Amino acid sequence: MAAFVNGEELAVTLAPVAVYWVYAGMYELLLARTTVLDRYRLHSRRDEETKNIASRKDVVRGVLLQQAIQVAISVAVLKLEGHGATANDTDGGLAPPADEEPLLVVAARFGVAMLVLDAWQYFMHRLMHSVPCMYRRFHSWHHRVAAPYAYAAQYGHPVDGVLTETLSGAAAYLASGMHPRAAAAFFVFATVKGVDDHCGVAAPWNPLHAAFRNNAAYHDVHHQRGGGRRNFSQPFFVVWDRLLGTHAPYDLRQRHGGGLEVKAFDKDRQMHQ
């Protein structure tokens, strides 16, 4: 592999994978070995055992398969796009090295990437729910985890993973014109955000939950029974849900027995059962 992939390309493709397991592992360790997050859990351990159809072993295998496909496609995109023949070669790329660009330019590229990623994922995600055969054959895999937890964030059918996750990342990378080093940072950030959205914990002091309305509680609405018609947006903003009428507000309430529960409302502010 080293003969064909340089260091920058390895960073873009492997850094998000490594961060995924490290960050998700932190949640798992804190939940398994401490009680610090228990008061903010959206699902009890009993819920995870009874509501989730996919076993944890199935989830690990599914995520690893998805990540292997993602890495292969990412390398292919980088090669076709022309970045990274050498560490200093930028003639074939869309942008000069990240450390040669003004900070505002790098930030603008990040913004473009976030918008493109969000738009692609919203419409593809909604399509997966709108076309019955696509939901049954592909996207229903992800909803086998009805009580989400951190390392199930990327669990799903490989076809769904490619169409929704991998291609959205490729589109964001190409549209923004980011250098691979900036892209590595962006995809690490998007990975952390995706894990946070599925972590099953709504801690008020989590900066990502505070900064983005699209967070673990927001996405939990989508995973609830009947939630497949609401809150499709991921991973950053909620703008498409608001514009296209699929946004469902919610309340966080104390759950009997400890933790929190998400109660979603319809447009008339009536509680969903």
Side-chain angles (χ1 to χ4, degrees):
M1 186 176 180
F4 302 97
V5 183
N6 66 33
E8 288 183 343
E9 292 166 342
L10 280 174
V12 175
T13 57
L14 297 184
V17 174
V19 168
Y20 181 90
W21 290 107
V22 171
Y23 192 56
M26 290 170 57
Y27 271 112
E28 292 299 313
L29 284 173
L30 286 171
L31 289 169
R33 303 291 180 86
T34 75
T35 60
V36 68
L37 296 178
D38 283 0
R39 64 185 297 188
Y40 307 118
R41 288 177 68 108
L42 300 179
H43 301 279
S44 66
R45 290 177 175 84
R46 174 73 174 166
D47 286 341
E48 292 181 1
E49 293 171 358
T50 58
K51 293 182 178 180
N52 293 339
I53 300 172
S55 71
R56 289 194 172 238
K57 288 184 179 179
D58 288 339
V59 167
V60 170
R61 286 193 291 263
V63 172
L64 288 174
L65 174 59
Q66 168 61 20
Q67 289 175 337
I69 296 170
Q70 178 180 312
V71 166
I73 293 176
S74 297
V75 170
V77 169
L78 286 166
K79 292 297 184 185
L80 290 173
E81 194 270 338
H83 271 304
T86 68
N88 297 314
D89 181 11
T90 61
D91 290 339
L94 294 177
D99 56 4
E100 295 181 7
E101 289 190 322
L103 183 59
L104 286 177
V105 173
V106 176
R109 294 188 189 281
F110 262 64
V112 170
M114 292 170 75
L115 291 172
V116 171
L117 192 77
D118 258 33
W120 185 295
Q121 292 200 9
Y122 175 86
F123 288 104
M124 184 57 68
H125 189 191
R126 188 170 180 178
L127 180 66
M128 286 284 177
H129 279 273
S130 301
V131 180
C133 66
M134 294 184 75
Y135 181 82
R136 287 196 305 270
R137 295 194 63 179
F138 307 130
H139 192 62
S140 64
W141 282 40
H142 184 67
H143 285 271
R144 292 175 182 177
V145 182
Y149 52 88
Y151 67 81
Q154 293 182 5
Y155 173 68
H157 191 284
V159 172
D160 185 10
V162 169
L163 293 177
T164 305
E165 301 281 346
T166 308
L167 293 186
S168 68
Y173 170 69
L174 293 172
S176 66
M178 288 188 291
H179 189 272
R181 274 171 278 178
F186 172 75
F187 289 123
V188 163
F189 177 52
T191 296
V192 168
K193 185 64 174 59
V195 170
D196 248 24
D197 291 348
H198 291 82
C199 68
V201 176
W205 35 260
N206 184 323
L208 291 178
H209 290 183
F212 294 94
R213 293 186 179 274
N214 196 337
N215 50 37
Y218 185 88
H219 192 64
D220 191 77
V221 172
H222 179 74
H223 275 265
Q224 293 177 4
R225 183 179 180 182
R229 295 174 285 108
R230 310 187 298 276
N231 293 12
F232 296 106
S233 294
Q234 56 185 40
F236 299 115
F237 311 115
V238 301
V239 60
W240 292 111
D241 278 320
R242 288 189 177 278
L243 287 175
L244 299 177
T246 54
H247 176 266
Y250 61 88
D251 278 340
L252 275 175
R253 299 185 175 184
Q254 291 294 320
R255 184 176 63 241
H256 179 70
L260 300 171
E261 62 179 340
V262 181
K263 290 292 187 180
F265 294 86
D266 61 22
K267 292 180 181 179
D268 298 320
R269 299 295 293 179
Q270 296 295 315
M271 187 76 72
H272 285 295
Q273 300 298 321

